[in-house]
Amino acid sequence: MPSPALAAPLGAAAAAIEARHRADVRAGRWRQLGIVLLLLALSLASGWYSEFSAARLLEGLPGVADYIGRTLPVLRAESLGADLREWYWNLGEWLLLLVDTALIAYVGTVVGAGLALLLSFPASARHTPHPALAFAVRRVLETARSVPVLVFALIFVFAFGLGPLPGAMALAVHTMGALGKLYAEIHENAEAAPVEAVRAAGGSWAEQMRFGVLPQSMPGVVSYGLLRFEINVREASILGFVGAGGIGEELYTVVRRFEYADISALVLLILATVTLLDFACTRLRRRITGALSAA
Amino acid sequence: MTARLLSPPALWIGGTLLLLLGLWRLDASPLRLLEGLGKLGWLLVLMVPPSSGGALWELLEALLATLAMAFLGTVLAAIVSFPLAFLGAANVMPLRLLRLGLRRLWDGLRGIDTLIWALVFVAAVGLGPFAGVLAIAVPDIGALSKLFSEAIEAADRRQAEAVRAAGGTRLQTVRFGILPQVAPVLLSQVLYFFESNVRSASILGIVGAGGIGLALSDRLRLNNWDEVAFIVLLILAMVAVIDTASRAIRRRLA
């Protein structure tokens, strides 16, 4: 309990603090209102540009629901086996296409990661033989990861012809760009002592990288590589849209031909494959990185 | 047994064999590669110098439409995900079964690629950017709801309990106990998704969902390689600008 002599200045101070707090709250409110209005204006402008509106959305949704409803297969309890067989009538060929899709992703990831690893040493600021080289390599990597995979695929399909080869190459180039940057960052964090030891023993630059840096970076390299493989499986499943192989080609065809039941069958197969490979990769990653960091 | 299967030499051998199998299935003969690389070099020569083909305004408008699709798709996904996320968060929604059901639904939505959704929506609602907006929003609802509900679950319990103890209702607990904690996290996640959606939106046109991708696939079909190069550069510039702006805003939010 403050004494009466102190109460008056305290009261004044409290009033001042209270007033400032209220002013702050009011300013915050105005700012919030400004942001909300800005977002609203942007949304309206965007809606105008993309022919999108709440009315159109409500109008379109039944059509979407109807379309998705049509893709669902007829499954009856009394003839479940036969119905399932009819739904997945082309299962053998689809599974082969899925294996192709996974192989496209695998080849793309391995080749891309290999190139990324080679380029990551000159790209890393700490280990590069020359700063100008690091700058140049980094721009190459940047371009490779900024151009969408599908754009590379379109160009490569033109150069190499239809089929899974241009698809895998498109994935490889994009993977090189994405992983090259990450790998260079991992190398930055390597301890200096092992590298100096290799140099002191007369090791060349390549030997310093191979025996000084790489063993330290290996867990990260493998781990990011496996993560990229998961992403690439998803990408590989749509490469077929532009004729670059895999299950996407079949999906594209059945959607265009309105083979409704086939659409749901294929989408579920892709979903299952992606989930399964994600699961396997997570387990593998845990084991490998565990073993590598223990060693 | 699994330990031996996963030992480094076994992994190397298995990995190499798989690579060889893949190269065989891909039909990657040295001759084909060499021929293709030659053709690729020729294409690169044709790409220089990049040219707008006299349609600069049309291209800029397509770029704006792409941004609009990405923006609306992100906003739509965020609006739908926000309430859904609370229903899927363990500290808000006590019904385990509903939570698990929602989570599986989200897994399904985001497990299917944006471009597959685009293909489906183009078939369902017709060509144009409207299908593109839906194709961006639907998988993002799966991803954002999951991230949102994880952020909500990570919120400090004590603030929610304080509102509870002061006699707050369930809704007030969420509004005053949880929301102020998670709002900055959610906003920065939405911005991050907007960045990635700008990239996705730029290729949606390839399956007929509008935007700059449509212009790109047209030029490719006509073999106008200088214009292809110009459009790719436009896309790269747009992505760089959006990334920089969004990163600046996210840094201020954090």
Side-chain angles (χ1 to χ4, degrees), chain A residues 147-156, chain B residues 203 206 216 220 228 232 235:
Chain A
V147 178
V149 173
L150 219 60
V151 174
F152 276 132
L154 277 166
I155 296 173
F156 289 166
Chain B
I203 53 164
I206 292 171
L216 181 67
L220 276 161
V228 168
V232 170
I235 294 176

Side-chain angles (χ1 to χ4, degrees), chain B residues 42-219:
Chain B
W42 178 63
L43 287 184
L44 282 176
V45 171
L46 285 180
M47 283 183 182
V48 185
S51 138
S52 64
L56 185 61
W57 280 114
E58 186 206 319
L59 291 180
L60 287 180
E61 219 171 304
L63 218 54
L64 266 183
T66 306
L67 276 179
M69 282 198 305
F71 183 76
L72 271 188
T74 315
V75 169
L76 197 64
I79 290 175
V80 176
S81 300
F82 184 68
L84 274 185
F86 283 98
L87 294 182
N91 52 347
V92 178
M93 184 70 223
L95 288 176
R96 209 179 124 82
L97 211 63
L98 180 74
R99 254 173 24 226
L100 287 181
L102 268 179
R103 280 176 184 249
R104 289 297 83 74
L105 176 70
W106 299 339
D107 287 345
L109 291 182
R110 72 166 187 282
I112 300 169
D113 195 273
T114 306
L115 217 63
I116 296 180
W117 283 114
L119 197 63
V120 167
F121 284 129
V122 164
V125 301
L127 294 168
F130 182 68
V133 173
L134 292 178
I136 286 173
V138 169
D140 271 18
I141 288 173
L144 276 177
S145 298
K146 176 178 185 265
L147 288 174
F148 282 5
S149 72
E150 275 164 10
I152 293 166
E153 283 178 353
D156 189 352
R157 199 159 47 85
R158 287 171 300 187
Q159 297 183 31
E161 273 169 13
V163 180
R164 257 278 154 85
T169 62
R170 246 195 136 68
L171 201 64
Q172 284 169 334
T173 312
V174 170
R175 166 65 184 87
F176 297 103
I178 296 178
L179 192 57
Q181 292 186 55
V182 297
V185 182
L186 303 196
L187 269 179
S188 93
Q189 277 164 351
V190 170
L191 273 171
Y192 184 74
F193 270 73
F194 174 61
E195 280 174 50
S196 120
N197 284 340
V198 171
R199 288 159 207 265
S200 320
S202 63
I203 53 164
L204 284 181
I206 292 171
V207 295
I212 191 80
L214 194 64
L216 181 67
S217 63
D218 279 351
R219 305 304 191 276

Side-chain angles (χ1 to χ4, degrees), chain A residues 208-252:
Chain A
Q208 288 168 38
M209 294 303 114
R210 166 68 186 86
F211 299 106
V213 180
L214 187 60
Q216 301 187 56
S217 307
M218 209 54 196
V221 166
V222 172
S223 179
Y224 279 127
L226 280 168
L227 271 178
R228 191 31 72 168
F229 174 65
E230 291 176 29
I231 300 172
N232 282 347
V233 172
R234 279 160 222 263
E235 293 278 350
S237 67
I238 54 165
L239 283 172
F241 291 8
V242 297
I247 190 89
E249 226 154 332
E250 181 79 3
L251 184 62
Y252 194 74

